[in-house]
Amino acid sequence: MACRIAIDGPAGSGKTTVARLVAQRLGISYLDTGAMYRIVGLHLSRKGANVKSSSLKDYLKDLRIEYTDGNFYVNGTPVGEEIRTPEAGMYASLYAAHPDVREFLTRIQKEICKERNIVAEGRDIGTVVIPDAEVKIFLVASPEVRAKRRYFELIAKGYKVQYEDVLREIIERDQNDSKRDIAPLSKAVDAVEIDTSDLSIEEVVDMIIKLVRERCWEKF
Ligand code: DC
């Protein structure tokens, strides 16, 4: 049996860093589902797709997303840093509420996670993508702590941003992601919640690895 680890939580909760490190320590695959919503968000915004349109299927027909060793390719071209801008995050969050987008990506994600040792992170991994995951984690942190992390991350990448704008964007995205009708950001009933506000990355990673060893002991 495979060991599938679902890590969910809001923007800036530390999901991506933690999930990547857990996968690295265990030597297993890593899936960043937020990157997939960013790819689709950028694609749809470039095509001028109306988020309120009843169907977005036509816009998704010519979009082929492939996943190899943790990297994404769109119609054969490797995906780069363009998906990491705050605008791409906002488009991702907006279009992620559309049923056609969720259906399109959930199907691909379920396929990637099938019968494989994997750490997958996002908003609905433990509730929708892998509802029977062996380990489910829900990371939380205060909006201020998350905004501070995002702010320093963006500054380090050379973006000129203001802390107040980043905080506003985080709160806005929390609203979008938790209030939507389909697959909203929510903690699975059987997920273990970890508040990362006052913990180091290493401490969070160690806590998750301990849980993995308890639940998938025959593998790790
Ligand atoms: O994790 P991230 O910031 O890269 O995600 C970008 C957006 O994608 C996020 O605001 C909501 C959406 N998303 C989602 O709806 N479901 C997921 N499983 C992952 C991301």
Side-chain angles (χ1 to χ4, degrees), residues 43 47 57-64 74-75 104:
H43 172 81
K47 296 239 170 189
K57 287 202 169 89
D58 276 353
Y59 292 104
L60 297 170
K61 257 192 226 146
D62 59 345
L63 183 64
R64 190 165 40 88
V74 172
N75 299 334
F104 176 73

Side-chain angles (χ1 to χ4, degrees), residues 8 11 15-16 32-35 37-38 84 88-89 92-93 96-97 102 109 121-125 129 150 173 177 180 183:
D8 290 301
K15 278 183 319 242
T16 304
D32 173 0
T33 61
Y37 283 94
R38 285 166 181 268
R84 295 292 160 201
S93 180
R102 297 223 75 85
Q109 290 160 6
E121 54 118 333
R123 304 291 189 290
D124 61 343
I125 309 301
V129 178
R150 242 326 122 82
R173 270 175 61 189
D177 297 344
R180 66 175 177 236

Side-chain angles (χ1 to χ4, degrees), residues 1-3 117 134 212-220:
M1 200 181 64
C3 186
N117 296 323
E134 282 66 30
V212 173
R213 296 225 159 97
E214 282 164 16
R215 309 240 172 119
C216 305
W217 58 272
E218 73 275 22
K219 292 204 168 298
F220 303 104

